Amino acid sequence: MAMTDRNPSARILVAGCGKLGGDIALALTGAGQVYGLRRNPDKVPAGITGIGADLTRPETLQGKLPDNLDIVIYCLTPSSYDGEGYHNAYVAGLQNLLDAIGNNPLIRLFFISSTSVYAQDDDSWVDETSPAEPDRFTGQHILQGEQTALNSIHPATVVRFSGIYGPTRQRFLEEVLEGRMNPQPPAPFSNRIHEQDAAGAIAYLGQQALQGQELENLYIASDCEPVRLDEVVNWVRQQVPCKDPVEGARKGGRAGSKRCNNQRLLASGFEFRYPDYKAGYREMINNLS
């Protein structure tokens, strides 16, 4: 999925070069020199220049960042799933990185966010203009990180991802296969994006920024078909043998019930490889050993 039209002078930093960040970095290798920052730089994908630093410890950043960065993609995940972990990942780490970059202007700062900032639970559609009023500390810290990015001196774009799935994220499919999912109709609406489309969307927007195209400051990145959870489970059961539901099988979703509108991302020119859950899960099911 590497981008074409390479600009050797472009310098791109993926801060938080883990699973998603690594995919984004690889998708951007045709756009310039790509750097991947994580605690253990040996785990940065081959072809990406690794930088070893801990964004929660600003002293580890000293002298580590390349000069004259053009694009920075901030893609951290919490090291612990409590308030401190979320604050460090989404707010403090970003501020430490911005301090290390200083006054050197970026072409674009991208902040990887989540549709969990929407607390809507009434099956309604949400888009970039909908109120984001998270009722959980997780979404509240993510929203604070968004504001940190948007209030920086750099042009910034926030990308809110719905649930990411794919060949390296098969937990939902495995739970259906093992009978641990048994939602009752009408189950909550669910929203998702295939991991290849998630990386592809950021790579596409990054390339647009490098080419001088105008970008919005916020995009929802979700596929084209929000769907009730029971419909997805029933469809999977029709494609492949699954175990009968076990006692205590999960009945519903964990993120309320809303439908994510991706029209702004589509209007940018981005094209989904997996526009709906059937396209993504069918390929995954076909590849089951």
Side-chain angles (χ1 to χ4, degrees):
M1 288 186 63
M3 306 296 288
T4 57
D5 300 328
R6 179 179 176 84
N7 177 1
S9 64
R11 294 188 169 199
I12 302 163
L13 173 67
V14 179
C17 199
K19 187 181 293 183
L20 176 59
D23 289 344
I24 293 169
L26 290 172
L28 277 165
T29 52
Q33 178 65 48
V34 184
Y35 301 86
L37 186 153
R38 60 181 299 170
R39 290 188 181 93
N40 185 349
D42 294 336
K43 293 184 178 180
V44 169
I48 308 301
T49 302
I51 298 174
D54 182 347
L55 289 170
T56 67
R57 297 170 55 210
E59 68 276 8
T60 67
L61 285 166
Q62 293 179 5
K64 295 289 186 68
L65 298 182
D67 295 329
N68 303 317
L69 285 168
D70 296 298
I71 300 289
V72 169
I73 298 159
Y74 189 83
C75 188
L76 246 63
T77 54
S79 58
S80 62
Y81 293 96
D82 53 12
E84 182 180 11
Y86 270 80
H87 181 81
N88 285 340
Y90 290 102
V91 185
L94 175 58
Q95 189 59 60
N96 290 336
L97 179 61
L98 291 171
D99 291 344
I101 293 171
N103 294 324
N104 299 314
L106 303 173
I107 292 176
R108 205 82 188 175
L109 166 66
F110 289 92
F111 180 86
I112 305 304
S113 183
S114 167
T115 56
S116 67
V117 299
Y118 297 112
Q120 285 83 338
D121 193 22
D122 56 358
D123 297 350
S124 60
W125 285 94
V126 296
D127 63 17
E128 291 82 359
T129 67
S130 301
E133 299 170 342
D135 52 10
R136 299 180 181 178
F137 73 86
T138 53
Q140 291 163 1
H141 286 297
I142 295 171
L143 191 63
Q144 187 179 353
E146 290 186 3
Q147 293 303 314
T148 300
L150 294 171
N151 292 335
S152 73
I153 65 170
H154 309 285
T157 290
V158 170
V159 181
R160 292 174 177 165
F161 283 114
S162 61
I164 302 175
Y165 75 103
T168 69
R169 296 172 173 84
Q170 299 206 48
R171 181 177 177 183
F172 171 80
L173 181 58
E174 290 169 352
E175 289 192 338
V176 178
L177 293 172
E178 293 299 318
R180 295 194 295 267
M181 286 290 301
N182 192 32
Q184 302 303 300
F189 273 97
S190 59
N191 304 268
R192 60 190 52 75
I193 185 169
H194 193 282
E195 58 190 12
Q196 290 188 23
D197 284 327
I202 299 300
Y204 173 79
L205 294 173
Q207 184 80 335
Q208 293 292 102
L210 288 172
Q211 292 174 356
Q213 300 295 318
E214 290 292 327
L215 295 182
E216 302 282 355
N217 64 2
L218 175 62
Y219 293 92
I220 287 177
S222 190
D223 75 18
C224 302
E225 188 178 348
V227 61
R228 292 193 184 277
L229 197 60
D230 59 299
E231 294 182 40
V232 184
V233 171
N234 289 336
W235 180 85
V236 171
R237 288 171 176 168
Q238 293 168 10
Q239 310 307 309
V240 62
C242 298
K243 294 182 179 179
D244 292 334
V246 301
E247 184 177 354
R250 188 151 66 91
K251 300 295 185 183
R254 298 189 175 110
S257 185
K258 56 185 177 285
R259 289 178 280 180
C260 293
N261 184 327
N262 67 2
Q263 289 304 303
R264 180 177 288 184
L265 181 60
L266 290 175
S268 76
F270 177 71
E271 297 181 0
F272 283 82
R273 179 173 178 177
Y274 302 95
D276 57 43
Y277 73 95
K278 292 179 181 178
Y281 282 119
R282 183 178 291 111
E283 183 177 284
M284 292 166 62
I285 290 169
N286 289 341
N287 290 331
L288 290 172
S289 56

